[in-house]
Amino acid sequence: MEFFDIMPMIRDFGLEALGLRTVMPEAQAAITFADGRPPVVLHRPDLLDRTHASIARYSGTDADLWVELKKRAIGLQDLLATGLYNLPTEATMADLTALLEGVFGDLGITPDFATKSIKVVIDELFETPELRALLYRATVEWGYPVDQAGSGVAFLTFIMWTLGNWKMVRGGTHALAKTMTQACYREGVDLIENSDVEKVIIKDGRAVGVVTRGREIRAEKCVASNADVRQTLLDLVGEDHLSPLWAKRAHAFRYGPSHVLGTPMFCLHEAPDYKSAKWDPDVNRCFYTMVGFDGPDDTIRYIRDAYSGRIPMPAAGLWVNSLWDRAQAPAGRHTATGWYFLPPASALTGAEWEDVRSTFNERFIDVWHAAAPNMTRDNIIAHRLYTPDQMEHKNRMFEGDFSNGEFAPDQLGTNRPFPEASSYRTEIDGLYFCGPSAFPGGGVHAACGYNAYKAIAEDLGLPSPVVTERGY
Amino acid sequence: MKQVCDVVIIGAGHNGLTLGAYLARSGLDVVVLERRHEEGGGLCTEELTRPGFLHNVHANYHTFVDMAPAITDLEVRENGVEYVRPEVQMASIFDDGTALTIHTDLDKTCESMARFSETDAETFRRLHTEAHGFVDLLLGTLMYQPPMSVKELTRALAAFGVEERTEFLSVRLRRETINQFLDQHFTNDRIKAHLAFHGAVCGYTNDVAGLAIGFPLLIGKIDNWHLCLGGSHRLAHALWRDLAHHGGTLISDAEVASIQVEDGRAVGVRLTTGEEISARRAVASTVDVEQTLLEFVDPTDLSPELRTRVANDVVHKDWSLFSVHAAMSELPEYTAAEFDPDVNRAWVVNLGYASTDDLDDDWRLIRKGGLPDPRPNAAVNSLYDPTDAPDGCYTGLLRQFAPYDLHGGGAGQWEGMGRWYAQRCLDVWRRHAPNLEANTFIDWAPFTPLDISRKLVNMVRGDWMMGEISLDNLLDQRPLPELGEYRTPIDRLYLAGSTQHPHGFITFGPGYNALQIMADDLDIDPWWRVI
Amino acid sequence: MPDIYTSDWYEAVRDSINVKVAEMQGVPEGTWHVAIDIVGDGRSPYVNQGAERNFVVRIEDGRCAWYREVDGADPGVRLDFRFRGPAEEFDRIAAGLLDPIDAALRGTIKARGDMRFLMRQAEHVQVLLEAYTDGVETLWPDGRPPYDGESA
């Protein structure tokens, strides 16, 4: 959870007093290798000397540059937070080049970086293949397309700030939802589970409630939809209530393939002990560890395969939270979870996904075992794979897209979900977007909900949540 | 995390949440600590098989709806719970294709019974009518009050001359088994089997002496079985919501390591993570007595005699439950529907116990660690809950009475046997409902007695009742006579879980009754007693 | 002889209770307020259908200190027990035609409050009930139960 320190609701609702507890592992992200060569380990912001030592095993120049870039990116925190937790503003090319020059100009980053893709930026900055592979793979975690022209700015600012900023929630990620639920309960919010919303009721051009399980719930003030823009406008509102432009925009909204992940889950006796740990034991106690990649070439092929609708080679980013939180596994056991980068749900048939679910973990376990010899089948008590088609079914994350809408220039910033809807308001009075298909997109930052509240507060004359000193 | 509060409650099962919500509504600053990542304890609903299939892993039947004061006092429905009372509550299907059904409509139940015995049907009508009359009184006297002793109870029944006034309440019931009660009043084996089976599902084993005294109460609510829409866990959410809305705090993933005692008085708890929470007024534990008094309390704070008593004399249930949770593409269509079409709409279906001897045989076997030939009971909640499975699919549950310790190898043996035994249980179901072909089970998952204790560690030895149901372990004798009044030898440390009177099941009783004692001790204004 | 449910009738009931209690040993010490809600059922002529008459009895150290007809929504005191049921049931009890324990067991008169206390004080409760049922000669100006020709 990289946004923990800037998420407004954690402080605004006192979630820590309600039981939210976190751990920030020292080693944050690493790549490990089957041939046992040294890992690359990135640490949290207060331990950059250790990160420097790790990268310097391969390249002193890369290590120096990494640390310097990281320090500059840390300095961007206020700017990023203000950007996330406010309604989007149009960033012009001139703004971006000025930002790059102002912050990174002395490090050889020229204005033309604003037009480059993430892959090109990574390749031009760093000479170490192992570091490049790590960074490509890390990039897909946030849904940024590595090959897209102009995406490189996001790498230098957002991803550089984010990498190494992870906190994990004690008791599992769901504990954050639970403390927020508790805050909702305290404030008098009703949470009605197992209640598929069938439609938004529109009366005289205004959203006045919803129908769920055949029953109407009337809303005196407004309706806010956390469902994505297509579901909200096409399924719940219905085209007959939309203008031709809004209907066209909703149809044109795209999911994936840039943020489609499958989640393998493993119950383990022992935590993995990697061959690469002989160089740096930190890799065995690293929050997020990439396994199954050999270098930039196979990593970029892996990403491009998934983009193109093909099942890539078995390789994953993995975390073993039970190393820091005993609540996440029975005594003496460990829980490992991970992410495979996979094609969107519609790229495969149901039967093909069923096949992936029954074979892909097995293939990965072989790869894992090659990198960590104790990852034998005896060490794995049970495992399961959760695939994009299931996410679509379970969470209505269409195509399994974590971001609820592709990250592409025409669907980002003031273009998210589409230009006319970027203020969280819709053309239907009293209907708002508050989910990740709105700005800034997917990720556990709650900015979509926070910003939607700002828009609603302004329209309904409710108190502003802005705290002047934090700037949002 | 909060560091100081008025009352710390250990365990967020329905009793912990109930007690917490009452205290929060009384203006106290309450923290409820839960070891697991989810509140609810036995109110546990999980997608054990496939996404969208909501399986009640523990509590499935809510039989005290509109009887427990907490339901109204804590505005359970306003807090989001929707209950359904299935029209066909239960059924027994017998090997010869006949079946018995229990309805919310007494006439229909009697019609069904009359097909087996007209006399018994009439007896049942009288028993049901009488039990319905006094169920309120019995609940108020026996469930939702701190316990009386059997002696006090007997004296009062004599003073009021109850025995002369009723056909079914008798002083001698305190020595008799449910089997004896049934033999005295009923003639037909199958009717007796069904009534005994129904008692067993409530945790009242039909061959245990003394339990006849509780049987009229069970009959008084035999048609009050409710299903919690969206899974039993919804009730936990509602109780939690009430707690939080009144300023209380639930903290999950908070495993208690010790209860802090100063000068003989409980003053707070320490978690396994080292975090501490002080309690200005009291600490209440709703988990098992063994954890509370032997693990959480330092040995120097408790007498060695009581420690020995807790270690040796707390009695757990001598049978547990084996479950199969199924994701299904078809509803069961029983062969017995030709005899009684209502069996296809029955919520809880006994598959095979045709006499009290059948049950007794299994209890004898189970007590020796033997595994019975399955005679499971089947409950398809989707019959009455359209939200607990994806469209066109159904969530099913098979429950089989089973031992915790298996003969020869202990509970560990369950490890490798779950799927095998589950398959045998499914085979029995399919024999009675031939349309349930193998491919109608999209997926299924066994849940063994060992799994019960692993998931909810306070259900020691698979004991889902948190203490045996027998007359020497009920009322003021539960869990031990010296702990029967919710107080402990440590000042301001209370026991408020199902180890206490009345017992486990979703009764709300232990938490509600502990509240009465705490209100007296802590001088809390008992607003809920406004009558 | 007083008319049913009048002040005089309740005075008589009170006196009858207190005479009996005076002969008892070990009556509980303390003060209790008991509500009696007599709900019009269309059969009793003494309470209109849909209406109800609410009385509160104060028990002090086992004796009846006073009774009062009150506004049901605001009895003016904190209640310890409530007995509620159809008027005909109460009429029949007062006429000695129905045993109050039977009424409670049949659930026609609902009892609320600390049942454990009532059970523990069973002997005392019995005395109070007897005084109520057969301690007073009662006049029935609008007719006497059983109603509608029901046999006694």
Side-chain angles (χ1 to χ4, degrees):
Chain A
M1 249 169 245
E2 53 275 37
F3 304 103
F4 194 88
D5 292 334
I6 58 173
M7 274 195 268
M9 89 278 197
I10 290 179
R11 269 138 298 269
D12 293 351
F13 291 97
L15 298 192
E16 283 166 304
L18 296 181
L20 182 62
R21 292 163 293 161
T22 57
V23 179
M24 191 173 196
E26 294 184 352
Q28 289 265 312
I31 188 162
T32 180
F33 302 103
D35 60 7
R37 65 188 190 274
V40 176
V41 185
L42 308 179
H43 300 77
R44 62 189 200 200
D46 58 326
L47 300 169
L48 291 182
D49 51 335
R50 278 161 66 182
T51 303
H52 188 275
S54 175
I55 300 174
R57 270 198 199 91
Y58 285 103
S59 159
T61 320
D62 279 2
D64 291 345
L65 181 60
W66 175 268
V67 169
E68 201 48 49
L69 284 171
K70 183 71 191 167
K71 285 180 180 165
R72 307 285 172 93
I74 292 167
L76 291 175
Q77 176 162 312
D78 286 350
L79 189 71
L80 286 167
T82 314
L84 281 175
Y85 297 106
N86 277 302
L87 270 61
T89 50
E90 192 132 13
T92 63
M93 191 52 84
D95 296 333
L96 291 177
T97 53
L99 174 74
L100 291 180
E101 274 203 297
V103 179
F104 303 106
D106 61 321
L107 300 174
I109 290 168
T110 48
D112 61 321
F113 269 65
T115 62
K116 295 179 182 183
S117 72
I118 287 175
K119 179 176 184 305
V120 169
V121 168
I122 291 170
D123 290 349
E124 289 190 10
L125 290 175
F126 303 108
E127 62 186 15
T128 307
E130 289 78 4
L131 178 60
R132 288 182 187 170
L134 183 159
L135 296 177
Y136 298 162
R137 180 60 180 76
T139 296
V140 299
E141 304 295 333
W142 288 286
Y144 283 94
V146 290
D147 284 322
Q148 195 173 74
S151 61
V153 181
F155 175 78
L156 284 163
T157 53
F158 181 76
I159 293 172
M160 279 303 295
W161 173 78
T162 313
L163 251 178
N165 228 16
W166 279 312
K167 285 188 173 174
M168 55 169 266
V169 177
R170 279 197 181 278
T173 306
H174 187 58
L176 175 61
K178 293 202 65 156
T179 50
M180 197 59 218
T181 299
Q182 182 146 269
C184 285
Y185 284 163
R186 186 185 59 202
E187 305 298 331
V189 176
D190 282 329
L191 211 129
I192 308 174
E193 299 93 339
N194 312 105
S195 292
D196 241 352
V197 171
E198 290 141 30
K199 75 177 208 179
V200 174
I201 306 165
I202 313 285
K203 200 176 164 195
D204 303 329
R206 191 180 163 77
V208 294
V210 297
V211 177
T212 172
R213 281 169 39 201
R215 290 187 303 205
E216 284 191 8
I217 299 178
R218 302 299 267 189
E220 299 278 329
K221 305 276 190 187
C222 73
V223 174
S225 174
N226 206 6
D228 71 55
V229 61
R230 287 176 67 161
Q231 291 176 71
T232 304
L233 294 179
L234 301 177
D235 300 343
L236 303 182
V237 170
E239 269 187 72
D240 47 335
H241 293 290
L242 299 177
S243 66
L245 175 67
W246 277 62
K248 188 177 94 179
R249 295 288 205 210
H251 280 293
F253 189 76
R254 304 182 307 280
Y255 305 110
S258 50
H259 205 184
V260 180
L261 302 166
T263 311
M265 292 159 267
F266 301 96
C267 308
L268 306 176
H269 288 286
E270 288 177 20
D273 181 8
Y274 292 102
K275 288 179 188 166
S276 296
K278 70 176 180 241
W279 298 95
D280 184 350
D282 277 1
V283 76
N284 281 351
R285 285 189 62 80
C286 181
F287 179 55
Y288 196 61
T289 307
M290 291 152 204
V291 179
F293 304 96
D294 190 56
D297 292 345
D298 67 341
T299 308
I300 204 71
R301 193 167 59 243
Y302 164 92
I303 294 169
R304 288 173 183 162
D305 276 348
Y307 274 157
S308 317
R310 291 186 293 274
I311 294 292
M313 66 182 187
L318 293 166
W319 58 95
V320 185
N321 288 359
S322 50
L323 287 167
W324 296 276
D325 181 7
R326 295 306 327 166
Q328 296 197 34
R333 308 273 171 88
H334 285 282
T335 301
T337 314
W339 278 334
Y340 301 135
F341 191 45
L342 290 176
S346 62
L348 273 69
T349 64
E352 286 167 335
W353 280 121
E354 193 66 55
D355 183 57
V356 169
R357 279 194 290 277
S358 56
T359 58
F360 202 67
N361 274 354
E362 291 293 340
R363 291 174 59 203
F364 174 71
I365 291 167
D366 291 335
V367 170
W368 204 2
H369 178 247
N374 70 331
M375 284 298 107
T376 59
R377 282 184 167 66
D378 283 347
N379 191 37
I380 296 168
I381 302 161
H383 64 84
R384 191 178 278 195
L385 173 59
Y386 181 48
T387 50
D389 57 321
Q390 290 179 310
M391 288 176 206
E392 180 168 295
H393 188 66
K394 185 181 174 100
N395 290 345
R396 299 280 165 88
M397 279 182 174
F398 276 83
E399 297 288 8
D401 178 355
F402 276 38
S403 292
N404 279 208
E406 188 185 359
F407 276 10
D410 65 330
Q411 292 195 165
L412 280 173
T414 50
N415 291 330
R416 194 167 183 86
F418 51 85
E420 296 78 9
S422 70
S423 70
Y424 303 88
R425 298 172 179 91
T426 67
E427 65 171 351
I428 292 158
D429 248 6
L431 178 66
Y432 297 83
F433 294 125
C434 64
S437 68
F439 172 82
V444 182
H445 42 57
C448 313
Y450 184 75
N451 293 341
Y453 173 72
K454 280 188 182 176
I456 292 169
E458 200 177 296
D459 293 355
L460 300 183
L462 302 173
S464 162
V466 174
V467 177
T468 315
E469 26 316 352
R470 75 180 175 208
Y472 53 94
Chain B
M1 200 173 80
K2 232 179 153 76
Q3 287 165 345
V4 185
C5 64
D6 290 326
V7 179
V8 167
I9 296 171
I10 302 170
H14 87 292
N15 283 303
L17 291 169
T18 294
L19 175 61
Y22 272 104
L23 292 173
R25 279 176 176 256
S26 304
L28 274 73
D29 186 1
V30 181
V31 171
V32 182
L33 299 173
E34 171 54 44
R35 185 189 70 92
R36 295 184 64 239
H37 68 295
E38 281 292 325
E39 71 292 337
L43 295 171
C44 174
T45 305
E46 293 186 358
E47 295 180 342
L48 283 183
T49 54
R50 298 285 176 98
F53 290 89
L54 306 181
H55 300 284
N56 282 334
V57 183
H58 292 267
N60 198 44
Y61 313 119
H62 300 235
T63 65
F64 291 90
V65 174
D66 300 324
M67 294 179 168
I71 301 260
T72 41
D73 288 347
L74 303 180
E75 298 177 278
V76 159
R77 286 193 172 87
E78 292 78 356
N79 277 310
V81 166
E82 292 167 84
Y83 277 120
V84 174
R85 185 175 164 221
E87 288 163 358
V88 190
Q89 295 250 302
M90 293 185 113
S92 277
I93 291 180
F94 308 107
D95 284 345
D96 61 359
T98 59
L100 185 66
T101 43
I102 304 290
H103 303 250
T104 50
D105 180 336
L106 177 61
D107 290 337
K108 287 187 179 166
T109 303
C110 292
E111 277 168 32
S112 169
M113 284 187 175
R115 298 177 75 178
F116 294 88
S117 160
E118 289 190 10
T119 324
D120 284 0
E122 275 316 301
T123 307
F124 183 80
R125 184 184 291 281
R126 290 199 311 278
L127 170 60
H128 183 272
T129 307
E130 185 175 309
H132 254 245
F134 54 57
V135 72
D136 249 15
L137 203 60
L138 283 188
L139 285 167
T141 312
L142 289 177
M143 300 284 289
Y144 300 111
Q145 292 285 346
M148 288 194 289
S149 65
V150 172
K151 203 172 145 194
E152 283 177 310
L153 199 60
T154 311
R155 219 190 70 193
L157 291 178
F160 286 129
V162 168
E163 200 160 12
E164 298 113 55
R165 301 167 195 275
T166 74
E167 183 180 353
F168 299 101
L169 280 184
S170 144
V171 172
R172 69 167 189 276
L173 292 179
R174 73 180 197 273
R175 287 187 295 273
E176 292 179 346
T177 63
I178 291 172
N179 283 342
Q180 285 171 296
F181 180 94
L182 293 169
D183 287 341
Q184 284 153 20
H185 297 287
F186 293 91
T187 60
N188 182 276
D189 279 348
R190 292 177 177 188
I191 290 173
K192 287 193 262 185
H194 182 85
L195 295 176
F197 158 79
H198 147 260
V201 177
C202 298
Y204 285 65
T205 322
N206 49 302
D207 67 350
V208 172
L211 293 190
I213 202 165
F215 196 66
L217 179 60
L218 296 184
I219 295 296
K221 61 183 190 62
I222 193 171
D223 53 0
N224 197 50
W225 289 46
H226 285 68
L227 175 155
C228 185
L229 274 191
S232 291
H233 188 60
R234 285 281 291 277
L235 173 60
H237 278 211
L239 293 170
W240 173 28
R241 183 182 190 275
D242 200 66
L243 169 82
H245 190 55
H246 292 91
T249 308
L250 165 77
I251 301 181
S252 311
D253 306 292
E255 187 174 8
V256 171
S258 62
I259 293 170
Q260 314 292 91
V261 177
E262 279 174 19
D263 301 327
R265 177 178 170 150
V267 294
V269 299
R270 177 183 286 144
L271 305 185
T272 51
T273 51
E275 294 155 295
E276 291 187 5
I277 305 174
S278 313
R280 294 183 202 99
R281 310 283 299 275
V283 175
S285 173
T286 63
V287 304
D288 53 295
V289 205
E290 292 92 329
Q291 274 194 92
T292 306
L293 295 182
L294 301 182
E295 290 180 35
F296 299 161
V297 173
D298 191 278
T300 59
D301 291 319
L302 214 61
S303 75
E305 293 76 28
L306 183 58
R307 287 179 56 82
T308 309
R309 291 268 288 149
V310 170
N312 298 337
D313 299 340
V314 168
V315 188
H316 289 288
K317 259 197 110 41
D318 53 14
W319 54 267
S320 183
L321 292 168
F322 175 87
S323 305
V324 189
H325 296 278
M328 304 161 71
S329 61
E330 280 194 41
L331 289 169
E333 288 168 19
Y334 294 103
T335 315
E338 284 179 29
F339 179 81
D340 181 349
D342 286 338
V343 292
N344 283 346
R345 294 192 301 127
W347 185 23
V348 191
V349 181
N350 158 34
L351 299 170
Y353 287 111
S355 69
T356 51
D357 285 346
D358 286 350
L359 282 155
D360 295 349
D361 290 346
D362 276 0
W363 303 134
R364 272 193 293 275
L365 183 67
I366 288 168
R367 287 178 187 128
K368 285 188 278 186
L371 206 51
D373 286 335
R375 277 185 275 215
N377 53 83
V380 180
N381 289 5
S382 312
L383 276 168
Y384 293 94
D385 182 356
T387 72
D388 82 344
D391 287 346
C393 296
Y394 312 95
T395 297
L397 167 63
L398 288 181
R399 285 250 159 93
Q400 167 66 39
F401 307 128
Y404 175 75
D405 275 324
L406 287 164
H407 180 68
Q413 269 189 296
W414 277 115
E415 196 82 79
M417 291 175 61
R419 291 196 72 79
W420 169 78
Y421 196 52
Q423 188 65 66
R424 291 191 57 198
C425 292
L426 289 169
D427 288 346
V428 173
W429 202 7
R430 293 171 59 187
R431 201 176 73 228
H432 290 285
N435 71 314
L436 297 181
E437 291 172 19
N439 62 6
T440 58
F441 293 97
I442 299 161
D443 198 0
W444 49 269
F447 200 80
T448 71
L450 180 62
D451 292 330
I452 292 178
S453 291
R454 280 183 175 161
K455 197 172 193 85
L456 300 177
V457 294
N458 54 322
M459 293 187 181
V460 179
R461 299 175 43 78
D463 178 5
W464 53 281
M465 265 288 172
M466 290 183 69
E468 177 59 299
I469 301 284
S470 63
L471 207 51
D472 50 10
N473 201 39
L474 285 174
L475 299 167
D476 63 339
Q477 304 295 298
R478 186 176 178 90
L480 293 171
E482 54 270 51
L483 298 172
E485 280 277 338
Y486 310 91
R487 298 187 183 92
T488 69
I490 294 164
D491 188 23
R492 302 296 163 95
L493 174 63
Y494 298 89
L495 300 175
S498 295
T499 61
Q500 307 304 118
H501 169 74
H503 48 56
F505 229 69
I506 305 303
T507 68
F508 305 81
Y512 181 79
N513 295 344
L515 171 75
Q516 314 307 318
I517 298 290
M518 290 174 73
D520 289 347
D521 290 1
L522 305 179
D523 202 19
I524 295 165
D525 177 29
W527 53 266
W528 58 88
R529 287 190 206 147
V530 170
I531 54 175
Chain C
M1 284 198 292
D3 288 357
I4 182 81
Y5 304 139
T6 57
S7 301
D8 288 347
W9 185 77
Y10 271 104
E11 294 283 345
V13 171
R14 185 189 69 180
D15 294 345
S16 157
I17 286 173
N18 291 346
V19 167
K20 293 203 179 215
V21 170
E23 298 163 4
M24 278 192 78
Q25 304 277 312
V27 292
E29 290 179 10
T31 303
W32 291 271
H33 292 103
V34 182
I36 297 171
D37 300 337
I38 304 177
V39 182
D41 53 6
R43 290 174 64 79
S44 165
Y46 301 101
V47 186
N48 291 335
Q49 181 159 20
E52 54 184 86
R53 294 181 71 178
N54 308 100
F55 297 91
V56 172
V57 182
R58 178 182 168 97
I59 308 283
E60 276 178 17
D61 298 338
R63 298 162 63 86
C64 177
W66 50 255
Y67 68 87
R68 206 172 270 165
E69 183 152 9
V70 297
D71 173 359
D74 178 21
V77 290
R78 182 150 194 161
L79 297 168
D80 300 289
F81 297 96
R82 184 188 293 276
F83 297 93
R84 182 180 180 83
E88 185 186 16
E89 294 285 292
F90 280 102
D91 294 357
R92 293 177 68 216
I93 289 169
L97 300 175
L98 173 64
D99 183 289
I101 301 293
D102 280 343
L105 283 172
R106 288 196 352 247
T108 50
I109 291 187
K110 300 276 184 204
R112 289 199 64 187
D114 184 349
M115 290 300 130
R116 186 165 73 148
F117 178 80
L118 287 191
M119 295 288 271
R120 283 179 171 160
Q121 303 300 332
E123 289 88 353
H124 181 239
V125 172
Q126 274 290 72
V127 168
L128 298 187
L129 294 175
E130 280 165 21
Y132 191 91
T133 51
D134 58 9
V136 178
E137 291 289 320
T138 302
L139 286 180
W140 301 85
D142 298 322
R144 177 191 171 88
Y147 303 122
D148 290 351
E150 183 193 349
S151 71

